[in-house]
Amino acid sequence: MTTTAASDNRTTGTTLVIGATGTTGSRTVARLTAAGHRVRAASRRATPVPGAEPVPFDWYDPATHAAALTGVDRVYLIPPVGSPDPATTMLPFLRRARDGGVRRAVLLSSSAIPEGGPAVGAVHRALPGLFGQWAVLRPSWFMQNFTGSHAHARSIRDEGVIRTAAANGRVGFVDAEDIAAVAVHALTDEQSPDTDLVLTGPEALSHDDIAAVLTEVTGRPVVHQHLSHRQLCDRLSAEIPAEFAAMLADMDRAIADGAEDRVTDTVQRLTGRPPRTFRALVERELSVR
């Protein structure tokens, strides 16, 4: 696929960004508006977003869906957080979006979930049959999990500990800024990807490697505590539904078995620049000034 600057292919309609205040959604809105695109920024509280039209949106409240979709011709989809069966909620909305004039849909999934797999994998499988133009972004784990509001980031700040059941498995952690850059191309390039796109950073790192970089750059000791699958399930189940906790623990076990030990050229191919390294992210967001 030929890489084309988003600003050279401005849409004549409006892009709906669901989850516009989230990790990738906020960055996608910022890039779209900076390139001159009209954006409707959807969030539960219709939080104001510079350059975009805020609109209330709740996956579980269909009464919010019509206003969000009015005049929209493409949509960036963040699935409902924590749902083990998002297809039940998302597919009726997507059919409504198609019938209302949405031509292109870009879905945020995960590198760990293939087409037809669990959770959002069912939405992935349905998307090509609903829209003539589509893409499924399948990023690896976010680098921001270690710097933002994720449980890993909180335990790093509070205790200097990362807890996983991933053992020594490596992951091609990816910067959310790179995910957003690819999302903008998938939404606005003249030719839609019409495929799934596995997104990684430039190197595969273990959680021990992550802890070492954090320690070196911030000057604060961080260690990786290796948990068993059962220990992680029990810890997560104290905060989230048991079924979702088990799915997350299974993902860690897959990492331990090597499922995420890969890097792809997708970010470079679609954006024209290499993906950012984890060290660069930590230096940008956490280094002591």
Side-chain angles (χ1 to χ4, degrees):
M1 174 178 160
T2 301
T3 301
T4 307
S7 58
D8 291 338
N9 286 292
R10 297 183 181 182
T11 62
T12 56
T14 298
T15 300
L16 174 66
V17 176
I18 295 174
T21 59
T23 302
T24 67
S26 61
R27 290 167 169 83
T28 300
V29 169
R31 288 174 176 271
L32 285 168
T33 56
H37 298 286
R38 289 197 296 272
V39 178
R40 188 164 295 148
S43 63
R44 287 182 179 175
R45 296 178 180 83
T47 303
V49 178
E53 175 193 353
V55 62
F57 182 88
D58 187 334
W59 278 116
Y60 302 106
D61 182 5
T64 66
H65 296 177
L69 286 168
T70 301
V72 165
D73 64 359
R74 41 195 90 192
V75 59
Y76 180 59
L77 301 158
I78 305 292
V81 176
S83 172
D85 183 23
T88 300
T89 303
M90 295 182 72
L91 292 184
F93 170 82
L94 292 176
R95 287 190 285 268
R96 184 175 191 172
R98 176 200 59 196
D99 294 344
V102 171
R103 297 182 295 108
R104 184 179 302 193
V106 175
L107 170 68
L108 182 69
S109 182
S110 164
S111 61
I113 302 177
E115 178 183 0
V120 74
V123 184
H124 178 170
R125 181 176 55 198
L127 206 64
L130 289 167
F131 300 96
Q133 300 175 17
W134 62 278
V136 177
L137 308 188
R138 296 178 57 208
S140 184
W141 270 245
F142 295 3
M143 292 179 181
Q144 278 76 6
N145 287 356
F146 304 105
T147 64
S149 59
H150 188 275
H152 286 330
R154 295 197 301 271
S155 67
I156 289 166
R157 288 191 293 267
D158 296 344
E159 307 170 67
V161 175
I162 306 168
R163 295 182 178 90
T164 83
N168 296 317
R170 301 194 304 168
V171 177
F173 294 101
V174 62
D175 187 345
E177 292 285 356
D178 289 329
I179 300 171
V182 171
V184 169
H185 280 276
L187 286 162
T188 65
D189 280 357
E190 183 176 355
Q191 178 65 47
S192 65
D194 300 337
T195 189
D196 66 325
L197 301 166
V198 176
L199 312 179
T200 74
E203 56 190 344
L205 302 171
S206 69
H207 286 85
D208 288 338
D209 295 330
I210 293 290
V213 172
L214 288 165
T215 298
E216 183 176 343
V217 175
T218 68
R220 297 186 298 272
V222 178
V223 298
H224 173 213
Q225 182 179 349
H226 295 231
L227 302 180
S228 69
H229 182 271
R230 172 47 54 193
Q231 287 173 323
L232 183 60
C233 273
D234 290 345
R235 176 174 285 274
L236 293 173
S237 294
E239 300 182 5
I240 61 177
E243 183 180 2
F244 193 56
M247 186 177 76
L248 293 178
D250 287 347
M251 288 181 176
D252 265 21
R253 182 156 58 191
I255 291 172
D257 292 339
E260 294 297 320
D261 190 355
R262 58 179 167 178
V263 295
T264 68
D265 68 348
T266 309
V267 173
Q268 172 85 51
R269 184 162 45 85
L270 267 70
T271 70
R273 60 165 178 76
R276 295 180 179 90
T277 66
F278 181 66
R279 179 177 293 274
L281 174 97
V282 176
E283 289 173 346
R284 185 178 76 217
E285 297 191 7
L286 295 182
S287 62
V288 178
R289 299 291 188 262

